[in-house]
Amino acid sequence: MNTAKLAQSEVYGYVFEHWRSQFPYKGGQILWTYNLHGPGSSWQIIDWFGQPHIAYYAVKRADEPVHVMANTHWLTWGPGDVFHASVDAVNDGSEELPNTTITARLFDRAMNVVEREDWTVNVPAGGVRSKPQKLSWQILERTPESYFFLVVSAADLGGHPLSQQTYSLRVVKLPADAEARRKRLTGADPLAKFGPWLKPQLESVPTTLS
């Protein structure tokens, strides 16, 4: 169930961010389902006992007043691929956020920063997204099948944090044939059966909280 909840949170997070980035062409969101009237398994983000699912926090983060986000286009990449993403921010406030610093960091499987890019943008008021920043980073040929992570963050003119978002992405062996590769990326994900698995990878990297 935890794996299913994590998948649900990824889906809701991406979808809600995509909707926000399309404002004013898309200006509303309807959840299916917010909570359940009895115990059960469904797409709810709060269960019958009042316990929020992971997706609840994904939706809350995607709808925060100021939000930085990335469109990675895919969730899966191959060794040697060029990783592409587009990063922008939205601001529901009534005043523009000038000279907002946005930072994008790419972490490898051992949680080491392998790429970083910083830039400044003016984030418009009223929910209209900022000018997108294109990222393009090379994935090494020798990269084993594993997860890697994109972290994007935004800070105001004084350096105070405004928003941060993390994306779990994967490197797997993909077919060389273009059509077979397209079918693999757009079809059902066989990683649900064969891995790589996120939990053992994270457990192998010791962390501390101070």
Side-chain angles (χ1 to χ4, degrees):
M1 179 60 73
N2 286 338
T3 302
K5 289 179 180 178
L6 183 59
Q8 180 197 18
S9 72
E10 282 196 341
V11 170
Y12 271 129
Y14 274 109
V15 168
F16 274 62
E17 284 184 341
H18 178 71
W19 285 338
R20 286 197 74 182
S21 71
Q22 301 302 307
F23 184 83
Y25 304 103
K26 292 181 175 66
Q29 304 162 344
I30 298 176
L31 268 172
W32 182 275
T33 304
Y34 182 74
N35 61 349
L36 286 185
H37 62 275
S41 178
S42 182
W43 275 87
Q44 77 278 2
I45 63 173
I46 296 179
D47 65 24
W48 181 75
F49 303 98
Q51 179 67 38
H53 288 195
I54 305 173
Y56 170 85
Y57 299 101
V59 171
K60 183 178 180 180
R61 185 179 299 110
D63 279 339
E64 61 188 346
V66 178
H67 185 67
V68 62
M69 55 189 150
N71 182 357
T72 62
H73 310 289
W74 303 104
L75 297 177
T76 303
W77 305 81
D81 282 354
V82 177
F83 170 75
H84 295 284
S86 177
V87 180
D88 53 63
V90 290
N91 161 34
D92 284 342
S94 59
E95 296 182 2
E96 180 186 68
L97 299 175
N99 297 316
T100 299
T101 299
I102 297 182
T103 300
R105 293 172 292 164
L106 201 66
F107 291 79
D108 65 11
R109 64 196 307 265
M111 301 305 294
N112 298 311
V113 178
V114 293
E115 298 285 355
R116 174 173 176 153
E117 191 167 335
D118 301 85
W119 65 95
T120 58
V121 295
N122 295 330
V123 184
V128 179
R129 68 174 179 164
S130 64
K131 181 181 179 181
Q133 175 79 4
K134 304 294 184 180
L135 303 179
S136 181
W137 293 329
Q138 181 73 47
I139 299 174
L140 297 179
E141 286 280 0
R142 63 178 183 272
T143 303
E145 290 195 323
S146 57
Y147 279 80
F148 66 107
F149 309 92
L150 174 65
V151 178
V152 292
S153 56
D156 65 17
L157 186 58
H160 302 101
L162 295 172
S163 174
Q164 180 170 289
Q165 183 67 299
T166 302
Y167 302 89
S168 301
L169 308 165
R170 290 164 293 210
V171 174
V172 299
K173 295 178 182 177
L174 294 173
D177 178 73
E179 181 61 19
R181 184 185 178 99
R182 184 193 66 79
K183 289 182 179 179
R184 170 71 184 275
L185 289 173
T186 58
D189 194 346
L191 298 178
K193 294 183 179 179
F194 305 111
W197 309 114
L198 179 59
K199 184 176 180 179
Q201 179 178 318
L202 293 180
E203 288 179 342
S204 67
V205 183
T207 59
T208 59
L209 180 64
S210 59

